[in-house]
Amino acid sequence: MGIYAFIPGILIGCYAVLLFCMLGIKVSHIRTEFMRALIVHILWAAGSLFMRLNVAPGLYFWFNVSMIGLLLMPVSLVRFAEEFTGVRHVATYVFLGLNLTLIVINLLTKNAIMVPPVPTKTEVGTVYLYTGLSWLVFIPYILCIVEVGFLAYVLIEGVKKELVNMFECFFLTGGTAILYIGAALMVLPFAKGFPADMVAGIADAVCMYALVGLNKRVRRNRTIRKGAH
């Protein structure tokens, strides 16, 4: 077991609590898309956790589960933002198609693009190091960061139409950007196996809690749901 396995465990707990909180909110398309986004976040974090715990069927399987979650995450958040703002774009489905294509190519080529880390024993325990990487490894991260930019564009359109405020735009976009920056940093040599992606994910979870806890529409829907019982 890696010495940093507890970090994705904490992150899963953060996302899971937020997911259960959504069950107390009035049923709507906004809630549904947000819950889907949270499930994708949990998929990403769970893949990382089980990889570090060396759970069967093994490292490659759980690494790919985590990468699938990572690649589906931005599109799931864009779909949530579209429901949140009422602004929809065909580009969302183009990005989804690109992400799915990348996932399939990576699986068919046995991780030629997204290469799994190598478990390495050190004085402090087992860490997971990315070694022998080519420039191809940055393709998914660049694509996802572009999609985060598109997420910001959708939200800013909502701000202009007064459907979203800058607070909501900042927390949703900022948290996601931090997550992908952390994920990209993790594959660089100086990371030395430190799970920068998972730590960045905790910052993203904090932003999501702020978005849900302080959002007026969410609080109103929660009140309506409770009043219905």
Side-chain angles (χ1 to χ4, degrees), residues 13-60:
C14 292
Y15 290 136
V17 169
L18 193 53
L19 184 64
F20 283 119
C21 288
M22 290 296 100
L23 297 176
I25 294 176
K26 181 183 177 182
V27 176
S28 66
H29 291 299
I30 293 175
R31 188 194 79 154
T32 300
E33 293 300 336
F34 190 57
M35 290 180 72
R36 286 175 179 170
L38 285 172
I39 291 170
V40 172
H41 280 70
I42 292 172
L43 183 70
W44 163 65
S48 178
L49 174 64
F50 294 146
M51 178 186 73
R52 287 178 168 83
L53 293 177
N54 198 26
V55 175
L59 183 147
Y60 276 84

Side-chain angles (χ1 to χ4, degrees), residues 33-109:
E33 293 300 336
F34 190 57
M35 290 180 72
R36 286 175 179 170
L38 285 172
I39 291 170
V40 172
H41 280 70
I42 292 172
L43 183 70
W44 163 65
S48 178
L49 174 64
F50 294 146
M51 178 186 73
R52 287 178 168 83
L53 293 177
N54 198 26
V55 175
L59 183 147
Y60 276 84
F61 176 84
W62 291 114
F63 172 79
N64 284 316
V65 168
S66 184
M67 289 298 99
I68 289 170
L70 188 71
L71 282 169
L72 293 180
M73 203 183 296
V75 175
S76 68
L77 288 170
V78 169
R79 284 292 303 123
F80 165 66
E82 288 180 334
E83 287 295 340
F84 208 53
T85 62
V87 178
R88 289 175 174 77
H89 295 275
V90 176
T92 304
Y93 299 98
V94 175
F95 282 126
L96 176 60
L98 289 173
N99 290 358
L100 291 175
T101 301
L102 193 57
I103 289 170
V104 172
I105 291 174
N106 190 64
L107 292 175
L108 291 177
T109 58

